[in-house]
């Protein structure tokens, strides 16, 4: 439908409604009824779309830019990560990681290029690039018979650096979604280390960091997510840490892990009690308190 036909339809509608209003006025006058209050400067066209084609184009843009783009970027990132887990015996061990790093650089450039025109897509591309950077670094030591980086300590330091970089970019952009992925990668890195001291130490850092973000940015949903993540990561360690290929077996030592459970609980309790408080507790505060108490008690029960 072109603009002339749309204009003609709008004029017909306006004429019809004006005639209808005139008839109602005559009926009210005949029945000695008071007229309904109306605005003198009432403009009917403001109640209806000025241009139907513009509204349709806007809807198509929102669907294409927000929904299809979001699903497409997520599927693309997962597909690339899945391909990187193959051994590729006929290729050098560094080749998959090298391809991953090249894609990361291209995605960072594309995200910066679309930063102004397609901001939503740019943010998801940026997040996908950070996720791909982590798995490209992970591929240097894992998923290969002859790893490029044979020293596990060096690989662990590289993964820690990538995770911290992810968290710092997330904090700079004030993105709760990127921050959620960042602390998840940090907890995965802790489990990959298979060192109980490093696992507990990083979980304490995640707990304190989530409290800090809750206080300065009011990220209540992230706070609840961090509570679940910390206790779940501790539970994965307790069942033997199958993330690094260990057999599932309950850990009976060291007993110091119980004190770390109590430390998580105290940190999250402080996060719930600190800050501004009103006469009534918010639903987020109540939910986070219940989760913290229940998960801590549950783990203490099955471990002790």
């Amino acid at each position: 439908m072109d603009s002339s036909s749309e204009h003609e339809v709008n004029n017909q509608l306006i004429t019809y409604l004006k005639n209808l209003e005139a008839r109602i006025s005559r009926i009210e006058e005949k029945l000695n009824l008071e007229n309904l209050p109306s605005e003198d400067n009432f403009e009917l066209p403001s109640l209806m779309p000025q241009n139907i084609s513009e509204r349709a184009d806007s809807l198509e843009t929102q669907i294409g830019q927000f929904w299809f783009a979001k699903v497409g970027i997520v599927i693309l990132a997962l597909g690339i990560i899945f391909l990187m887990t193959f051994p590729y015996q006929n290729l050098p061990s560094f080749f998959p990681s090298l391809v991953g790093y090249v894609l990361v650089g291209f995605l960072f450039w594309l995200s910066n290029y679309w930063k102004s025109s397609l901001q939503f897509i740019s943010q998801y591309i940026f997040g996908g690039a950070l996720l791909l950077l982590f798995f490209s670094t992970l591929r240097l030591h894992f998923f290969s018979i002859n790893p490029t980086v044979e020293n596990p300590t060096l690989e662990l330091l590289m993964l820690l650096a990538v995770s911290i970089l992810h968290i710092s970019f997330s904090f700079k952009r004030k993105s709760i979604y990127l921050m959620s992925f960042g602390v998840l990668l940090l907890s995965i890195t802790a489990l990959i280390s298979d060192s109980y001291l490093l696992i507990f130490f990083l979980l304490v850092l995640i707990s304190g960091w989530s409290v800090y973000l809750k206080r300065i940015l009011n990220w209540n949903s992230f706070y609840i997510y961090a509570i679940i993540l910390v206790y779940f990561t501790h539970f994965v360690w307790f069942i033997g840490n199958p993330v690094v290929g260990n057999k599932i077996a309950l850990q009976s030592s060291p007993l110091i892990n119980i004190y770390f459970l109590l430390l998580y609980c105290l940190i999250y309790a402080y996060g719930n009690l600190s800050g501004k408080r009103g006469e009534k507790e918010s639903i987020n505060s109540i939910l986070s308190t219940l989760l913290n108490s229940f998960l801590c008690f549950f783990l203490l029960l099955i471990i002790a």
Side-chain angles (χ1 to χ4, degrees), residues 28-240:
E28 291 176 345
E29 183 179 357
K30 191 73 173 178
L31 297 176
N32 295 324
L33 298 176
E34 295 182 358
N35 294 330
L36 295 175
S38 59
E39 298 289 340
D40 295 336
N41 297 326
F42 175 77
E43 294 183 1
L44 185 61
S46 62
L47 298 178
M48 57 196 337
Q50 297 290 337
N51 193 326
I52 300 177
S53 62
E54 291 181 0
R55 293 295 181 89
D57 292 341
S58 176
L59 180 61
E60 292 176 359
T61 301
Q62 290 180 2
I63 294 176
Q65 180 177 350
F66 291 90
W67 294 106
F68 288 164
K70 179 191 298 186
V71 174
I73 293 171
V74 171
I75 293 177
L76 177 63
L78 293 178
I80 295 175
I81 292 172
F82 177 74
L83 290 175
M84 292 182 66
T85 59
F86 292 143
Y88 298 106
Q89 298 180 0
N90 298 326
L91 295 174
S93 60
F94 64 85
F95 183 77
S97 295
L98 179 62
V99 173
Y101 287 134
V102 172
L103 289 175
V104 168
F106 173 73
L107 291 176
F108 277 141
W109 173 83
L110 193 62
S111 174
N112 185 67
Y113 181 76
W114 282 344
K115 187 175 182 180
S116 300
S117 57
L118 299 173
Q119 184 178 5
F120 185 82
I121 295 180
S122 172
Q123 292 176 355
Y124 270 85
I125 291 177
F126 187 83
L130 290 174
L131 189 63
L132 184 58
L133 178 62
F134 179 85
F135 279 92
S136 298
T137 306
L138 186 67
R139 184 63 172 76
L140 292 173
H141 182 77
F142 296 92
F143 312 113
S144 178
I145 300 176
N146 298 314
T148 304
V149 178
E150 296 182 357
N151 190 340
T153 303
L154 178 59
E155 174 68 16
L156 181 63
L157 291 175
M158 295 172 65
L159 291 176
L160 284 173
V162 173
S163 301
I164 294 173
L165 182 68
H166 191 132
I167 292 174
S168 62
F169 274 120
S170 305
F171 181 72
K172 183 178 180 181
R173 294 193 170 213
K174 299 297 186 293
S175 173
I176 189 173
Y177 302 107
L178 288 179
M179 186 63 70
S180 300
F181 273 111
V183 294
L184 175 62
L185 296 181
L186 189 60
S187 66
I188 293 175
T189 302
L191 292 174
I192 289 174
S193 71
D194 203 22
S195 169
Y196 68 89
L197 284 177
L198 184 59
I199 292 174
F200 300 155
F201 176 73
L202 291 179
L203 292 182
V204 169
L205 289 182
I206 293 175
S207 304
W209 180 245
S210 62
V211 170
Y212 175 73
L213 293 179
K214 178 180 182 294
R215 295 192 63 183
I216 67 171
L217 298 177
N218 198 28
W219 283 0
N220 293 308
S221 57
F222 173 80
Y223 188 70
I224 295 174
Y225 164 81
I227 292 175
I228 298 174
L229 177 65
V230 165
Y231 285 112
F232 178 76
T233 305
H234 194 107
F235 176 76
V236 172
W237 168 85
F238 171 68
I239 62 176

Side-chain angles (χ1 to χ4, degrees), residues 266-283:
L266 288 175
I267 293 174
Y268 285 125
Y270 170 76
N272 287 327
L273 294 174
S274 62
K276 298 180 179 179
R277 303 178 62 85
E279 295 181 358
K280 294 184 179 180
E281 293 289 345
S282 64
I283 185 64

